[in-house]
Amino acid sequence: MVFKSLIKLPLFSQLTSYNRSLFVSDAVAGLVTAFISIPQSMAYSNLAGLPPEYGLYCSLLPLMLYALLGSSRTLVVGPAALISLMIASTIDKLSPSSVTETIEYAVNLSLLTGFFLCFLSLLRLGNASHYISKPVITGFTSAAAIIIAVSQLPLLLGVENDRSFNISDALLQPEVYFSGINVVVIGVSLLGFVILWLSRNLPSFLIRFCVVPTVVRQGIVRLGPIVAIIISSAIVAVYSLDSNYGVDVVGAIPSSLPSFSVGFIKPSLWLELAMPAVSMALICFLNSIAVTKSLASKRHELIDANQELLALGVANVGSALTGTFSLAGSLSRSLVNYYAGARTQVANIISAAIILLTVLFFTPLLYFLPQAVLGVIVIASVLPMVGVDKILHYWSINKADAVSLSITFAAVLMLGVDRGIWIGIGCSMVLLIHRTSKPHIAVVGRVQGGTSFRNSEKLDVETLNNSVFLRIDESLYFANVQHVEDYILNYCSNRPSLRHIVIIFSSVNFIDGSALETCERLVVSLRSSGLTLHLCEVKGIVHDQLKKTNLLTLLEPGKVFYSADEAMQYIESLQ
C-alpha cells in the first residue's frame, strides 16, 4: 500500500522506464548544473543579505524535495534573483540588529512562503497564473533587475554596503553613497566582467576559425562564472589583496551541514511577514511555472500546475527547516540542466550531491573569493531580464498592455518590489475591466452571393434599409451591458427608417442577471419607438439562460433565428 502511494509521486513515475543511458545523461547534466549553481547560489545569498554559504544550503534539501514532488523533469530550484531581492527588501524594513536576526526573518519568510504555496495547491489554484498579464510580469522583472544590478554597485566599487540601499541613494546623493571607492576592487570587478564577456563571446569567435562541438561551446558559455571565481580568487590569494588593499572576500565558510531546527521559527513574526510572504509565493510560482512550461514544451511534456505549487511549497518549507531562505525555479540553471542532457529529476539529486560534497570538503577553496565577483555574477545574470524595449512592442500591439507594463515598472522602481507587483496586478485588472466594459460592436451585412455576415466597414456587403444587424463581440455582464444598450439606442435614434434590429449573439458565451434585465428593458424601449428586436446565432448555454426569464416572451413579435441569413430572409419576406 505504501509503495502504491509512493509510485504516484512524479519522480517515481519518471523512473518506471529508467535505464543506464538516461542515468549517464542525468549525471552529466547534474555535474554541469552543480558547477553553475555554486557561484550563483552564493551570489544570490549575498544579494539576500545572508552569508554566502546559506545559498549552498538552499540548494541541498530543497532541491531534493522538489526532485521528488515536481512535475517538471528539468526545472532546477534554488536561490533566485527576484526572490533574494524581495527577501533583502523585506528584511531591510525590519531593521535587524544582527546576522542571527536576519537569518531568523529569512527562515520565517521561507516557511510562510511555503505554507502559502501549499495552501494554493490545496485550493487547486494552479491556473491562477493565467490571470496576470505578460506585460505586468515584464514590467516587474525589468524594474527588479535594474534594482538588483544597482544594488550590487557598492560591491563592485568597494564602498561600504548599506543594506538599506536604494536607487534614490545612488541618483540623488552619489557623492555621499559612493565615497571611498576602492580602485583595486574596481579592477577585480572589471576582471570578472571581462572573463564573463569572453566566455559568452569566445565560442562565436572560435567558430570562425575551427569547428567547435556544441557541447564545448555551451560549456565555455556556462562555466564562465566558475572561471571567474577561480582566477579572481587566485589573484587575491597570491597578492594578498584582501589584507593589503582592502578587497572584501567571502572568508571562512563552515565545512558543515545545516541541521533541522525549529529554533528560528517565531510565530510572533508571522503577522508582519504575511504580506511579503504572499508576494514572494506569487513571484516564486509565476517565475517557476513560466520556466517549467517553457522547458516542457520543448519535449512535449505535460506540467501539473497544482503539483508545482505543492512541490515549490514543500521545498520552501524544507528550506526553512534547514535554517535558510526562500527559493524559486531558476531560468539560467534550468536551461543549463536541460541543454546538458537532463532527462529526469535524478539530475537534480546528483547536482545536490555535488553541492553537498562542496560544502563538506571544498569550502576552504572559496576563502579568497572576492565579494565583488559575486556582485558581477549577479549583474550578469539579471541584466538579460531587463525588457523595457518591449514597451514599444506592446504599444504597437495594444496600448493598454504598454500602460500596465509602464505603471508596474515605475511602481517597482519607486515603491519597491513588494508594493510594485500588487500595483501592477491591480492596474492589469482595472485595464481588463475597462477593456471589457466597452465591447466591440460591429455593423454587419451579408456577403455578396453568400450566407455569411461580415463587418460592413471592411467589406462590400448586402444590407436592408429598414434593418440593421449588430454583432456583439463579447459576453454580456453587468460592467458592459450598459454600453451595449446605449450604443443600440443611440444608433437607432439617428436612423428613423429602421424597423428591425437583429443582434448576433455568436460571440456571447455568457450573460449574467444584470445583462438579462437590461436586455428586457432594451426590448421595451425599442418597441416604444416602433422597432422590433430579433436575436440570432444564440448559443445553447445562453439560450437556456434566456428561457429562465421573460425575455423570449417579451421579445415577441421579435424572433430568435438560427442564423443571421435566416433572419435577413425573414425580414425580406415582410417587405
Side-chain angles (χ1 to χ4, degrees):
M1 193 69 181
V2 175
F3 179 74
K4 288 184 177 179
S5 64
L6 287 176
I7 204 70
K8 295 179 182 178
L9 296 175
L11 178 61
F12 284 82
S13 63
Q14 294 172 23
L15 296 178
T16 53
S17 58
Y18 205 67
N19 55 44
R20 181 181 299 178
S21 175
L22 292 178
F23 176 76
V24 172
S25 295
D26 285 339
V28 172
L31 178 65
V32 174
T33 304
F35 285 154
I36 306 302
S37 298
I38 291 170
Q40 278 197 354
S41 298
M42 296 175 67
Y44 291 153
S45 181
N46 212 35
L47 173 63
L50 279 77
E53 63 267 22
Y54 281 79
L56 300 177
Y57 300 158
C58 195
S59 299
L60 295 176
L61 178 64
L63 185 57
M64 289 187 283
L65 289 173
Y66 178 84
L68 183 66
L69 296 170
S71 63
S72 170
R73 290 174 175 263
T74 51
L75 181 71
V76 179
V77 301
L82 290 179
I83 298 298
S84 294
L85 173 64
M86 297 179 78
I87 294 171
S89 176
T90 300
I91 295 178
D92 284 344
K93 295 175 183 177
L94 300 174
S95 302
S97 57
S98 64
V99 174
T100 300
E101 194 170 346
T102 297
I103 296 172
E104 188 175 89
Y105 286 134
V107 166
N108 284 274
L109 266 176
S110 181
L111 186 66
L112 289 178
T113 300
F115 284 165
F116 283 127
L117 288 167
C118 292
F119 181 65
L120 292 175
S121 176
L122 182 65
L123 296 179
R124 313 298 293 175
L125 292 178
N127 292 325
S129 61
H130 298 162
Y131 300 103
I132 302 178
S133 67
K134 288 287 185 181
V136 167
I137 299 301
T138 300
F140 174 80
T141 55
S142 297
I146 292 175
I147 294 175
I148 291 171
V150 174
S151 71
Q152 298 303 293
L153 289 179
L155 289 179
L156 271 62
L157 300 177
V159 299
E160 186 67 25
N161 190 358
D162 182 1
R163 294 309 306 169
S164 63
F165 175 83
N166 55 58
I167 289 181
S168 62
D169 292 332
L171 297 180
L172 300 180
Q173 296 180 310
E175 71 284 354
V176 174
Y177 192 80
F178 294 120
S179 60
I181 290 177
N182 189 321
V183 177
V184 177
V185 174
I186 294 177
V188 173
S189 302
L190 291 175
L191 175 64
F193 278 118
V194 169
I195 294 173
L196 293 182
W197 182 86
L198 286 174
S199 69
R200 292 183 178 181
N201 293 276
L202 186 58
S204 59
F205 177 78
L206 291 176
I207 291 175
R208 298 178 183 179
F209 301 97
C210 59
V211 177
V212 181
T214 302
V215 175
V216 176
R217 293 202 305 269
Q218 292 177 351
I220 294 174
V221 173
R222 304 302 181 186
L223 295 180
I226 290 289
V227 176
I229 285 177
I230 294 173
I231 294 177
S232 62
S233 298
I235 292 175
V236 170
V238 170
Y239 295 101
S240 300
L241 299 184
D242 54 331
S243 57
N244 294 335
Y245 298 97
V247 175
D248 288 334
V249 296
V250 169
I253 296 177
S255 297
S256 59
L257 293 176
S259 58
F260 283 95
S261 174
V262 295
F264 284 118
I265 298 176
K266 305 290 184 184
S268 59
L269 300 175
W270 290 0
L271 184 60
E272 59 184 333
L273 295 177
M275 280 309 299
V278 170
S279 299
M280 288 172 58
L282 176 65
I283 296 303
C284 170
F285 178 60
L286 290 176
N287 184 72
S288 303
I289 200 68
V291 177
T292 300
K293 289 185 175 181
S294 175
L295 295 176
S297 64
K298 297 178 184 296
R299 292 178 180 166
H300 308 290
E301 297 168 353
L302 296 178
I303 295 299
D304 185 340
N306 290 304
Q307 184 68 27
E308 288 300 298
L309 279 171
L310 176 63
L312 292 168
V314 171
N316 274 280
V317 171
S319 183
L321 293 178
T322 51
T324 184
F325 57 96
S326 302
L327 50 85
S330 168
L331 174 60
S332 59
R333 298 195 291 277
S334 297
L335 286 173
V336 169
N337 194 41
Y338 176 87
Y339 286 112
R343 304 306 299 270
T344 71
Q345 282 294 330
V346 171
N348 272 340
I349 296 176
I350 293 173
S351 181
I354 295 171
I355 295 174
L356 172 62
L357 293 175
T358 301
V359 171
L360 292 177
F361 303 109
F362 301 111
T363 51
L365 299 178
L366 300 173
Y367 182 93
F368 291 103
L369 170 58
Q371 296 276 6
V373 171
L374 291 179
V376 168
I377 293 172
V378 169
I379 292 177
S381 299
V382 302
L383 284 183
M385 295 163 52
V386 179
V388 183
D389 57 314
K390 290 187 178 180
I391 293 179
L392 297 177
H393 170 70
Y394 284 118
W395 187 265
S396 63
I397 299 175
N398 189 304
K399 293 180 175 57
D401 286 340
V403 169
S404 62
L405 188 156
S406 302
I407 291 176
T408 305
F409 181 81
V412 172
L413 282 182
M414 294 187 295
L415 302 176
V417 291
D418 48 349
R419 296 180 182 177
I421 184 60
W422 291 110
I423 291 175
I425 292 173
C427 174
S428 182
M429 294 297 103
V430 170
L431 289 174
L432 174 63
I433 294 173
H434 175 73
R435 186 183 305 164
T436 58
S437 67
K438 294 184 178 181
H440 178 255
I441 302 175
V443 179
V444 300
R446 184 167 57 191
V447 176
Q448 298 286 345
T451 59
S452 60
F453 279 65
R454 295 293 184 269
N455 195 320
S456 60
E457 295 182 358
K458 299 182 181 300
L459 295 173
D460 183 18
V461 295
E462 296 179 17
T463 59
L464 301 176
N465 293 331
N466 67 338
S467 64
V468 63
F469 286 71
L470 301 174
R471 189 188 69 229
I472 303 173
D473 294 332
E474 186 70 65
S475 293
L476 296 177
Y477 69 112
F478 67 94
N480 65 11
V481 69
Q482 187 61 53
H483 170 76
V484 173
E485 181 185 26
D486 292 343
Y487 178 92
I488 294 174
L489 293 177
N490 290 334
Y491 186 92
C492 296
S493 65
N494 298 322
R495 293 166 176 80
S497 62
L498 290 179
R499 291 294 177 265
H500 300 274
I501 311 297
V502 181
I503 300 180
I504 302 174
F505 266 42
S506 59
S507 298
V508 178
N509 301 311
F510 167 78
I511 182 169
D512 71 358
S514 299
L516 288 168
E517 292 180 7
T518 303
C519 288
E520 292 177 354
R521 186 173 67 240
L522 178 62
V523 172
V524 175
S525 298
L526 291 175
R527 182 176 295 131
S528 66
S529 300
L531 297 167
T532 302
L533 180 67
H534 307 278
L535 304 178
C536 69
E537 300 185 19
V538 181
K539 294 183 177 180
I541 188 171
V542 176
H543 196 269
D544 292 340
Q545 290 179 281
L546 298 183
K547 288 193 290 187
K548 296 177 182 179
T549 68
N550 295 324
L551 181 60
L552 296 179
T553 302
L554 196 63
L555 195 65
E556 299 176 355
K559 298 180 178 296
V560 179
F561 297 98
Y562 178 76
S563 66
D565 182 61
E566 181 184 338
M568 180 171 279
Q569 291 182 30
Y570 171 78
I571 295 172
E572 287 176 328
S573 69
L574 298 177
Q575 297 179 354

